[in-house]
Amino acid sequence: MTEPPRPPGEGYPGSPSDPTSPPAPPGSYSTPGEAPAPGYPPPSYDQGGYPPPGGGGYPPQGGGYPPAGGGYYGGGPAPAGYANNDEKTWALVAHFGGAAGALVGGGAGGWIAPLVALLAKGNESPTVRAHAVNALNFQILWSIIAIVGYITMCIFIGFLITLAAWIIATVFGVIAGLKATNGELYNYPMSIKMIK
């Protein structure tokens, strides 16, 4: 059950705006970003004397908004190897999405997710661009190999080429995604640098 709103100027008992509380000793007022003086609760933020929803205390520096440019905010430090969670998410989209595309597309569809990651965030983040370009180069090569396998499937070797491309593109995409989870840039083996 919630308490009804208080008239302006009436804070919660013991707050600096409470007329029955003793005045704060000189020099004990806290500045934004510091803890309140001992024995005094934090100052109120609204005219009713209630602390802000979801927490109390002072708002973070900068007015409580995330840093400009979409930097990481709240919940702890940024993941290792990334400036923020958004970068990590897009790096994982490039690698795991490439593996999933290769798996579903029979080895030939793994290039779609890395291309999406590159186009969506490659210009904003050098980290995402590096991950997406590595995944895209690898997946394009193995998609071409899978397509050659499909074309030559009328002879038995085409089946083996397609199967090998499907397995290799999927397995190495998953390995790269696991490395990207830890913030490492994975250099795919058996890859050609077609995109820089």
Side-chain angles (χ1 to χ4, degrees), residues 61-77:
Q61 301 264 339
Y65 294 103
Y72 187 75
Y73 181 74

Side-chain angles (χ1 to χ4, degrees), residues 109-139:
W111 57 272
I112 296 170
L115 180 62
V116 168
L118 181 64
L119 294 175
K121 293 293 180 180
N123 290 336
E124 297 174 23
S125 166
T127 303
V128 172
R129 181 172 177 78
H131 282 276
V133 165
N134 273 3
L136 188 57
N137 283 323
F138 178 78
Q139 293 294 349

Side-chain angles (χ1 to χ4, degrees), residues 65-99:
Y65 294 103
Y72 187 75
Y73 181 74
Y82 301 100
N84 55 46
N85 260 348
D86 195 40
E87 281 189 354
K88 181 176 182 179
T89 300
W90 281 102
L92 296 180
V93 164
H95 297 297
F96 284 135

